[in-house]
Amino acid sequence: MAERTGAEVLVSHLAARGVKRFFGVPGGDCSLDLIDAAARAGIRFVLTRTEDSAAIMAGITAGLDGSLGVLMTTRGPGLANATNGVAWAALDRAPLLVISDGYENEQAYVSHQRFDQFALMAPLVKGSLRFDDPAALARIPALLDAAQSAPSGPVYLEVTGNGVRPRVADAGPAPGPKVAKPPALDSNKLVEARAMLAAATRPAIIAGLQVRDARAQAGLRRLAAQWRCPVFLTYMAKGAVADPYAAGSYIGGAGEEAALKAADAIIMYGADPIEFPPQPWKYAAPVLDLTRYPVDRHYFEPKVSLVGDLAAAAVELETAVEGSAWSKDELAAARAEIHRRAHAGGGAAVTPQSIVEAAAAASGSSSARVTVDAGAHMLSVLALWQAREVNDVLISRGLATMAFALPAAIGASLVDPDRPVIAFTGDGGLMMCAGELATAAELGCRLTVVVFNDSSLAMIGVKQRQRKFPAAGVDYSQSTDFAAVAKGFGCRGYRVEKGGDLVPKLAEAMRGAGPAVVDVVVDPAPYNEQLRALRG
Ligand SMILES: Cc1ncc(C[n+]2csc(CCOP(=O)(O)OP(=O)(O)O)c2C)c(N)n1
C-alpha cells in the first residue's frame, strides 16, 4: 500500500481546504520538511520578513478567498514574534492555522529556546494540538474546522520530527472543511422580533463584520431597501450598503448620535462587539440583535436576540416593518453629518482629508481595494473613501493593531493580483513592518503605500492634548524619508510636500509596475478637531 510522510498528509489537508500558499519565517527543523512537502503539492511558501506580518497576510488571503490562512514559524522566538498577528486573527475573526516547531519528547533535557508554547497561544486560539506522532493526524481535520467555523479564528498546531517524518499508510483523499452550520432561527424569537419591528416606524440598522459575506450583504441590502432606513456600518462592514441608505460609520461616536437617537428600534445586523469602542451604550430604543453566533459579552441587553443565518433572518423579517417614517431628506442629512464632521479641522495645504481625496481621484475608476492602519489617519480614510462592496476596505478593528495595512495589502494583492491595492498608513505603523516592503517588491504586488508622514504618533498626541498633558513621548525627533526607504527595499518611492503634487505623484505611483510608496508630509493639526467632531 502507498505510504506518505506525516508532512505530506498534513499538506494534503491544507490543499483540500483551498490553501494555495503559506507564510512565515522558517526554522531549521520541521519548517524545512513542510516547505518541501508543500511545494510538491503545489502549495507555495511565501517568505516574509516578520512572523506577525505573515499571520496577517495569511489571514487576509483566507478571508478574501474563503480558504484557511496558514502561518509557519520556528519554535521559541519565531512563535513569540507571531503573537500580535495571532491576536489579530483572534480579535478580527480570521481563520488561521499557526504551525510551529516543538521539541521531540526525547529532548526533555533542552532549555534552549524553550517555553510553554501552548500556554503562550492559549488565550488567543480556538484549539491546539501537538503533532508528535502519526496518530495525531486523525485529529487535524477537527482542528482546522474549528479555525474555519464562525466566528473564525486561529488554531495552533505544534509539530515535531516524530510527527512529520514517519511514513504512514495513505488513507486516501483528505476531507474538505466541515464548517459548523448556523443554528436554525428560533420560531418564537422570530414572532417576538416581528412584533418589535411592527411597532417601529423609524428603524435604524447597525451592521458589523459578519456582513462580510455575499449572502449576508445581500440580506442587509434587502432590509435597507424594504425598510427605507439608515444603515450605519462598522469599519469592518464598510461597503455593505450603498446610498441612499448608507448613513456612515458606526464608531460609537458623536457623528451617528442624532440619527440613532431619533430611531425607535435599533437592529444589529451581524455586529460583533469586538468592533465597538470601550464606552457604554447610549441609546434607549429597543435592540433586535441578529447574529450568526452568540458572543461572550455585549454592550447592551437586546430586547430580542436571534442567532442564526443572517440572510435567512433578513428574508423572515423584511416585511415586518410596516411603514418607514424616515424621509429622503433625513437619510441624506444623516450621511451629510458624518461627512461634515470628517472635514473638521482645516489646516495646511496637505491635510489628512486631502490625501484621501487625492488618492481617490488618482485611482480613478480602477476600483482599488484599500487597507488602513490604526492611527488618526484612519478617520479620514473611513469617512471619505467610497466603498462599493464589503472587503473593499480592510482594517483591523477588533485588535486595532498598527502595522496591519502593509501586510494586509500584500495578502489582498496575492488573492487579486490584477486589482490595485492602496495601503494607507501612518509613519509609526509603517516603521513597525517596513521590512515587508521588500516582500511586496519580491512578489511584484500592484500596491501603493500612502504614508501620512507627520513624524508623530498623531492619534496618541491628540489624546495627550485632550488630557492636557505636556507634549512628550509621542513625536519622533527626526523625519523619516520613506521614499528613500522604499527604494532601498526595491519599491518605487515618491515624496510629496506640496498639495499640488498630491494627485500627479499618486497617479504616477499607481500607474507603474510593482509596489510604490508615496511619502506625504502631512500636518497633523486637523486631527484634534476631527477626532472631537467624529467621536465627541
Ligand atoms: C501595535 C500597536 N501599538 C500601539 C498601538 C496604540 N496606538 C494606536 S494609534 C497609535 C499611533 C499611530 O501612529 P501612526 O502610525 O504614525 O499614525 P497616526 O496616528 O500618526 O496617523 C498608537 C501608538 C496600537 N494600536 N498598535
Side-chain angles (χ1 to χ4, degrees), residues 204-212 216-217 220-221 224 230-243 245-252 256 260 267-271 275-276 335 338 382-383 385-391 393 395 397:
I205 303 176
I206 298 174
L209 64 82
Q210 298 171 38
V211 80
R212 297 172 307 162
Q217 174 177 277
L220 176 65
R221 289 182 175 189
V231 180
F232 292 92
L233 299 166
T234 64
Y235 281 170
M236 290 174 79
K238 190 169 165 70
V241 282
D243 293 348
Y245 306 113
S249 296
Y250 175 76
I251 59 170
E256 66 265 26
L260 285 172
I267 296 85
M268 310 302 292
Y269 187 92
E275 284 201 78
F276 286 29
R335 196 165 54 250
I338 292 187
L382 272 301
W385 188 266
Q386 295 289 323
R388 288 178 216 162
E389 302 284 337
V390 285
N391 292 324
V393 174
I395 183 169
R397 184 62 172 164

Side-chain angles (χ1 to χ4, degrees), residues 12 34 51 64 76-77 89 105 109 116 142 152 186 212 226 232 278 284 348 356 369 386 405 408 411 437 480 518 533:
S12 74
L34 293 174
E51 291 85 352
L64 293 178
N105 293 333
Y109 58 90
D116 184 344
S152 47
D186 180 317
R212 297 172 307 162
Q226 195 74 27
F232 292 92
V356 180
R369 178 174 268 140
Q386 295 289 323
L437 289 171
T480 298
V518 184

